[in-house]
Amino acid sequence: MERSFSTQASAHPDLTLPADSLIKRWKIGAVLVIVIAVIVNAILGNVLFTLFGWVSITMYGLVVIARKIIQIYLAISSNRSRRLTVRRPLVEEFARQYPHLADRAYALLRQNQPYEAFKTAFLQLLEDAHDEYELQSLEESPAPGRSDTLPWLYNSVWVQRKWEQIMSSSFPYMPYVGLVIPTYRTSKLELQRLVESLENQTYPHLWVSIVLNENSEELKSFTHKLIRKYGGGKYIRFVEPRKGKRNAMRMGFADFLDDPQVKYVFNVDSDSKLHPDAIANAVRLFESDPDIGCLTGDIHVANTDVNLLTRLTAQRFFYAFNVERAAQNRFDAVTCMSGAFMAVRARVLREILNPWANQRFLGQACNFGDDRHISTLVLERGLKSVYCPDSISLTDVPHEMPMWKRQQTRWARSAWRETLITLPWLHRLPLWIVFEVAYLLVFPFILWGILIALGYRAVIYGPQVLLPYFVVVIALNFIFNAFYGIVVNRDFRYLLGPLYLFYQFVYLQPLRLWALISLDITRWGTK
């Protein structure tokens, strides 16, 4: 039976129980001990130990290294668990239909591969099953007049149809889902790319709402043609001009919430493109646990090869989703959904729609951070916020520095805002999430202090004193970011990863400080 909740469920009765408040807040106390120790150590300049006679490890460095190690361990464990949940029904259905190939299918299940590698291997199993069937048919009933001019095409079509059949039959029940596409300054190519990816979805029970958040007669006409081309039965078009993305999303959400058949509501940004199995895999994960309130997928960069900035951003996305969110996912408490692909259980969305749509902070209406605030509201109600590594969405990222800086500033503002909102009930979250929130909230200040101190030392003693720090930071990036990316993706271009440190220290750190002191600015900044 699904967990019931209401507005009262989001209240904090434990705040009125002083007798055991310290026990309830032990996680915050434990994290505070670490934070205070790091601050004191940074102020005193004490070195815990020295490596190779010249690399000094402070408390701050030790915590950073430990965090990286624990993150990767949790991420590997979490990704394996979620992949088993999503893939096991597929493998079991295949084994039921082809019992003589069951051992190979279950061996595939045990491999913790990225989804594309898993699907490629699974399709190969289907092709082998088809080849065996064809060979047996020819032996039992030779057909000399049969044409085999395009056997590869026939096999490919059969394998794809068989995949779709196994995907559908592995669901005991396929509920209806609604998908909202808010658009603003969306090109016709972007919208067509997204709609075509929706047409290729292996999940059949899908309704789509396209909300045009602009007065563009050209886009309106093009959208109408798209809807007619693909059969208007499952497409709805709204016009909500110049009222902001959150209001456009609210309009699409509200329409689906009026339909009792819709069990899950998705949001996909208009510059995204979905993997054919993205929705099916997300629904399967939702169906595995009635306490999952919201879900996000694995976001890849579509325009990776434009320039160095997009290449490094793609590598940053990989770490942000496959490591950082995956580690939080181990505790069912992902703190940030992604607008490029996210979904909310309809009964949960009905509860949070008004507070989400009407969010205010520092006396101002909140225009951005809509995806992250959904995570906040879901976690506040004691429900699960999860990451599905098998639901893949591709999205475009800024390829010019001014646009990239505006995007990063907007994301930093929403991160600061949602972190501060979380503080009153932070103690109710798992220990790792408490630490992550504290890390986001406090450790940037410690880092800025360290950078100022290093700059002072460089002025007094010369820039050569910075060399050991640069070497250690680059080495850690190679070990925990570049090397991990190479192992998982088998792509040696992750060796470029340490170059992102330039953007991190020259641009991102100042931008995060500016974002904090300008939280009252609500301009979107990009499209």
Side-chain angles (χ1 to χ4, degrees), residues 121-334:
F122 197 101
L123 293 179
Q124 183 60 53
L125 279 179
L126 288 175
E127 189 171 334
D128 292 346
H130 176 259
D131 291 344
E132 290 181 9
Y133 172 78
E134 285 286 284
L135 181 61
Q136 183 180 358
S137 298
L138 288 173
E139 290 175 350
E140 294 177 356
S141 179
R146 173 177 165 172
S147 174
D148 288 325
T149 55
L150 290 175
W152 60 269
L153 178 61
Y154 172 77
N155 289 356
S156 176
V157 172
W158 184 93
V159 166
Q160 181 59 34
R161 289 180 177 174
K162 193 62 181 178
W163 166 262
E164 293 173 0
Q165 182 267 321
I166 288 178
M167 177 69 78
S168 297
S169 57
S170 62
F171 276 92
Y173 162 64
M174 302 185 81
Y176 280 93
V177 303
L179 187 143
V180 177
I181 306 172
T183 75
Y184 182 68
R185 295 182 181 175
T186 301
S187 70
K188 293 187 288 185
L189 179 62
E190 287 173 331
L191 189 57
Q192 181 168 352
R193 182 182 69 175
L194 173 54
V195 170
E196 287 176 352
S197 76
L198 296 179
E199 286 299 309
N200 292 328
Q201 289 299 300
T202 53
Y203 193 83
H205 298 168
L206 173 65
W207 290 329
V208 181
S209 169
I210 302 174
V211 187
L212 303 177
N213 190 30
E214 55 192 308
N215 285 319
S216 170
E217 293 300 327
E218 183 180 7
L219 188 61
K220 291 178 188 177
S221 175
F222 181 75
T223 304
H224 185 65
K225 290 178 182 178
L226 273 181
I227 291 175
R228 283 190 302 172
K229 176 181 178 180
Y230 292 112
K234 71 176 182 180
Y235 289 90
I236 309 168
R237 190 198 68 177
F238 293 112
V239 179
E240 182 82 345
R242 302 183 184 279
K243 291 191 177 180
K245 180 184 177 184
R246 193 174 300 212
N247 275 300
M249 293 169 64
R250 175 197 55 78
M251 189 174 187
F253 287 166
D255 184 73
F256 288 127
L257 293 181
D258 290 336
D259 190 335
Q261 294 185 83
V262 175
K263 192 172 182 181
Y264 309 110
V265 182
F266 288 75
N267 178 84
V268 177
D269 288 343
S270 58
D271 58 355
S272 301
K273 174 186 176 182
L274 300 188
H275 185 281
D277 306 320
I279 293 176
N281 292 337
V283 171
R284 199 186 300 279
L285 188 54
F286 263 125
E287 290 289 288
S288 71
D289 187 344
D291 288 334
I292 294 177
C294 62
L295 172 151
T296 195
D298 185 13
I299 312 302
H300 295 188
V301 172
N303 57 337
T304 300
D305 296 322
V306 172
N307 55 28
L308 180 62
L309 178 61
T310 59
R311 165 64 58 186
L312 295 177
T313 302
Q315 296 184 9
R316 173 67 192 125
F317 268 45
F318 166 76
Y319 199 85
F321 285 90
N322 283 274
V323 177
E324 293 173 355
R325 281 172 177 79
Q328 295 179 350
N329 193 40
R330 178 64 179 79
F331 304 98
D332 303 317
V334 176

Side-chain angles (χ1 to χ4, degrees), residues 98-112:
Y98 303 101
H100 62 291
L101 295 174
D103 289 344
R104 288 177 58 188
Y106 281 108
L108 181 61
L109 181 64
R110 289 189 291 270
Q111 300 174 24
N112 191 21

Side-chain angles (χ1 to χ4, degrees), residues 9 62 67 72 115 130 169 216 227 263 303 424 491 494 512:
L62 184 63
R67 176 176 178 260
I72 291 176
Y115 186 70
H130 176 259
S169 57
S216 170
I227 291 175
K263 192 172 182 181
N303 57 337
D491 184 353
Y494 277 84
R512 285 169 182 164

Side-chain angles (χ1 to χ4, degrees), residues 2-23:
E2 295 194 358
R3 181 189 302 181
S4 61
F5 63 96
S6 63
T7 306
Q8 288 76 20
S10 64
H12 311 298
D14 50 319
L15 297 181
T16 63
L17 299 175
D20 59 350
S21 60
L22 291 178
I23 297 177

Side-chain angles (χ1 to χ4, degrees), residues 292-513:
I292 294 177
C294 62
L295 172 151
T296 195
D298 185 13
I299 312 302
H300 295 188
V301 172
N303 57 337
T304 300
D305 296 322
V306 172
N307 55 28
L308 180 62
L309 178 61
T310 59
R311 165 64 58 186
L312 295 177
T313 302
Q315 296 184 9
R316 173 67 192 125
F317 268 45
F318 166 76
Y319 199 85
F321 285 90
N322 283 274
V323 177
E324 293 173 355
R325 281 172 177 79
Q328 295 179 350
N329 193 40
R330 178 64 179 79
F331 304 98
D332 303 317
V334 176
T335 58
C336 183
M337 296 287 101
S338 171
F341 184 88
M342 69 174 180
V344 190
R345 192 178 293 270
R347 66 173 179 83
V348 178
L349 188 55
R350 288 188 187 95
E351 185 75 25
I352 68 174
L353 184 62
N354 285 334
W356 170 78
N358 301 307
Q359 182 190 13
R360 300 185 70 83
F361 187 76
L362 297 179
Q364 307 236 23
C366 297
N367 295 325
F368 49 76
D370 41 83
D371 41 14
R372 195 175 188 114
H373 193 51
I374 283 181
S375 305
T376 301
L377 293 172
V378 168
L379 291 172
E380 184 183 15
R381 282 156 174 78
L383 294 168
K384 297 177 181 179
S385 172
V386 304
Y387 160 68
C388 181
D390 284 356
S391 289
I392 300 171
S393 174
L394 291 90
T395 191
D396 290 328
V397 297
H399 61 275
E400 296 177 346
M401 186 59 66
M403 187 73 73
W404 180 82
K405 289 193 291 186
R406 289 196 292 270
Q407 181 197 63
Q408 295 297 320
T409 303
R410 185 180 74 243
W411 286 357
R413 285 196 185 109
S414 63
W416 284 117
R417 183 191 72 209
E418 297 303 315
T419 300
L420 294 173
I421 291 172
T422 304
L423 293 181
W425 44 274
L426 181 62
H427 61 282
R428 295 164 48 197
L429 297 177
L431 177 60
W432 176 255
I433 308 302
V434 174
F435 172 76
E436 286 287 271
V437 170
Y439 191 91
L440 176 65
L441 192 62
V442 178
F443 275 62
F445 295 99
I446 301 174
L447 176 60
W448 296 333
I450 292 173
L451 292 177
I452 291 171
L454 288 176
Y456 175 78
R457 290 190 63 191
V459 170
I460 299 300
Y461 301 107
Q464 68 275 5
V465 301
L466 301 178
L467 181 61
Y469 297 96
F470 285 146
V471 171
V472 170
V473 169
I474 292 173
L476 290 177
N477 189 277
F478 265 117
I479 295 170
F480 295 112
N481 293 53
F483 181 71
Y484 185 75
I486 292 170
V487 170
V488 173
N489 298 296
R490 300 177 183 178
D491 184 353
F492 282 93
R493 286 176 295 185
Y494 277 84
L495 290 172
L496 295 172
L499 294 178
Y500 192 78
L501 292 171
F502 172 78
Y503 296 96
Q504 174 77 18
F505 288 105
V506 174
Y507 295 110
L508 286 182
Q509 292 304 324
L511 285 176
R512 285 169 182 164
L513 180 59

Side-chain angles (χ1 to χ4, degrees), residues 80-89 109 284-285 288:
R80 179 181 296 277
S81 174
R82 297 300 188 200
R83 288 166 177 163
L84 283 173
T85 300
V86 170
R87 300 173 187 181
R88 187 182 299 277
L109 181 64
R284 199 186 300 279
L285 188 54
S288 71

